[in-house]
Amino acid sequence: QVQLVESGGGLVQAGGSLRLSCAASGRTFSRYRMGWFRQAPGKERDFVAAISGSGGITYYGDSVKGRFTISRDNAKNTVYLQMNSLKPEDTAVYFCAAVSTYSIGSTYDRTSYDYWGQGTQVTVSS
């Protein structure tokens, strides 16, 4: 069982930056692939970024490539999402998710993930 708690959301102007954090419980954090997803009002929950258990492989959605960076610190059981050059269309609730590294489900598919945080709101003003 993994419990995830996100933090770091807030209100920022377009062009600004935010860093989200997701703290995980448990002692086997490195055995989980971690992902970030986001959901805007009235829309589906979309893939943003993911990172392998070791941190050596990263994945990004097309809309955030070159602007967002995912990273993890396995000693701190924490995954981060550095968001730069934010746009109003990045406004959403951002969720952290985890799945075993042994899972064969798609990294980009929200249904592949077994554990979810409660979400943190990111609002980008124009």
Side-chain angles (χ1 to χ4, degrees):
Q1 192 79 359
V2 177
Q3 292 184 325
L4 305 173
V5 179
E6 302 98 332
S7 61
L11 173 64
V12 64
Q13 289 188 331
S17 299
L18 280 175
R19 188 175 83 154
L20 305 183
S21 299
C22 173
S25 63
R27 295 179 293 175
T28 59
F29 182 62
S30 62
R31 296 182 185 177
Y32 291 90
R33 187 186 326 146
M34 301 299 296
W36 286 98
F37 289 76
R38 66 186 181 186
Q39 188 167 18
K43 296 189 177 181
E44 293 189 348
R45 191 170 297 188
D46 293 331
F47 174 79
V48 175
I51 188 166
S52 64
S54 67
I57 303 173
T58 56
Y59 313 78
Y60 294 96
D62 289 341
S63 62
V64 306
K65 281 180 182 176
R67 300 188 298 124
F68 291 10
T69 302
I70 189 170
S71 62
R72 67 190 295 160
D73 185 338
N74 286 345
K76 296 182 178 179
N77 281 17
T78 302
V79 62
Y80 305 97
L81 185 68
Q82 178 66 43
M83 306 186 294
N84 298 329
S85 302
L86 282 162
K87 306 174 181 180
E89 50 263 45
D90 293 318
T91 295
V93 177
Y94 283 70
F95 297 90
C96 175
V99 62
S100 168
T101 56
Y102 298 108
S103 171
I104 61 173
S106 169
T107 295
Y108 302 92
D109 187 345
R110 66 182 184 274
T111 64
S112 298
Y113 292 78
D114 298 315
Y115 305 101
W116 291 86
Q118 81 289 348
T120 185
Q121 176 71 46
V122 171
T123 302
V124 184
S125 63
S126 57

